[in-house]
Amino acid sequence: MALAIAGAILCLTTKDVEGVVMLLLRKLALTIVILCVCSFAQTPAPAHRPTSTPYAGDPTIFDNPGRADRLEINAVMDTLGIIPGKSVADIGAGSGFFTMLAARRVGDRGVVYAVDINPKAIQYINARLKQEDLHNVQTILGKPNDPLVPANVDVVFLLKTYHEIAEPVALFRNLRHSLAKDAKIGVIDRNGNGTDHGVDRDVIIREMKEAGYKLLQQQDYVKDGMNYFLIFAAA
């Protein structure tokens, strides 16, 4: 039997040998592809970037005297073009600290959307609005991946909030349909690792680019080496 097989092999032409080799190579390639696909399927999806646990304590801490001056909020609003008649979305509104300042800036012809995913924050802001007799603010209970902001917003602002967003790319992709032409997105945050109530500016710039935005400007009104102010627009 062995002699018969050997004889058959010797009878193969060069063309036959090439055909066998090509067949073996195809089978090997197919095996490699199957192994790679199986390996990829078994690889766990990458974890979300580390984020900070949203603050759930006394909200009045954000309205401490002098905070607006330290963060130079008036200069920030000037840079973002927050003037009478504009529409502004305050994402991660918290205590309403920035919401109240922006509401007075845009006046009765403008509107501010105070967005938060915490129902208690929304309740707190609604109570403040009654107390401070402001009628140009609409509160919105947003979703972690969608702020649910109405269309044609001129300015979006996140004050020390970005580091708490678990799905920033999805959130800002969903935000795009709400933006007016030439809308600006402002982000104030501080350098950190995500879990320490801060996130490095390069991380934000990279994630915003992935979501479809371009960096327009960087400012450092608070020159402490930690806080930064970034301005984006839809790409």
Side-chain angles (χ1 to χ4, degrees), residues 5 14 25 28 49 56 61 63-64 68 100 106 125 135 156 187 191 204 219 223 226 228:
I5 295 174
T14 302
L25 287 175
L28 178 61
R49 171 177 55 75
I61 191 175
D63 293 276
N64 58 74
M100 305 301 161
V106 301
I125 293 173
H135 305 283
V156 176
V187 178
N191 288 311
I204 295 181
Q219 292 283 355
K223 302 186 184 302
M226 291 295 291
Y228 53 81

Side-chain angles (χ1 to χ4, degrees), residues 199-217:
V199 57
D200 287 349
R201 72 172 71 195
D202 291 343
V203 173
I204 295 181
I205 293 171
R206 183 178 68 249
E207 292 175 345
M208 290 294 284
K209 182 178 180 180
E210 186 179 347
Y213 296 81
K214 59 185 177 183
L215 179 66
L216 295 181
Q217 191 175 349

Side-chain angles (χ1 to χ4, degrees), residues 25-176:
L25 287 175
R26 289 194 187 100
K27 289 184 176 180
L28 178 61
L30 180 60
T31 301
I32 292 173
V33 170
I34 292 172
L35 289 174
C36 289
V37 170
C38 292
S39 175
F40 179 80
Q42 293 171 2
T43 302
H48 287 300
R49 171 177 55 75
T51 56
S52 301
T53 302
Y55 177 78
D58 181 3
T60 61
I61 191 175
F62 297 112
D63 293 276
N64 58 74
R67 187 181 185 219
D69 292 334
R70 287 195 302 274
L71 293 174
E72 299 198 34
I73 294 299
N74 282 327
V76 167
M77 289 196 286
D78 289 341
T79 302
L80 291 174
I82 298 178
I83 58 176
K86 292 293 184 178
S87 57
V88 180
D90 180 11
I91 296 181
S95 70
F97 166 75
F98 179 76
T99 293
M100 305 301 161
L101 296 173
R104 293 187 174 90
R105 265 274 187 131
V106 301
D108 293 337
R109 293 186 295 110
V111 60
V112 177
Y113 301 103
V115 183
D116 208 288
I117 62 173
N118 183 353
K120 291 183 178 179
I122 297 299
Q123 293 172 5
Y124 184 84
I125 293 173
N126 283 332
R128 282 194 69 173
L129 294 173
K130 291 181 179 180
Q131 182 179 356
E132 301 187 28
D133 197 29
L134 287 171
H135 305 283
N136 60 344
V137 175
Q138 295 181 30
T139 53
I140 298 174
L141 183 63
K143 297 180 179 180
N145 64 352
D146 192 342
L148 302 177
V149 175
N152 296 319
V153 172
D154 299 305
V155 179
V156 176
F157 188 57
L158 292 85
L159 176 60
K160 301 295 185 74
T161 301
Y162 194 104
H163 57 262
E164 296 179 356
I165 301 176
E167 302 177 63
V169 174
L171 184 143
F172 282 99
R173 282 176 177 168
N174 287 326
L175 177 70
R176 285 177 64 96

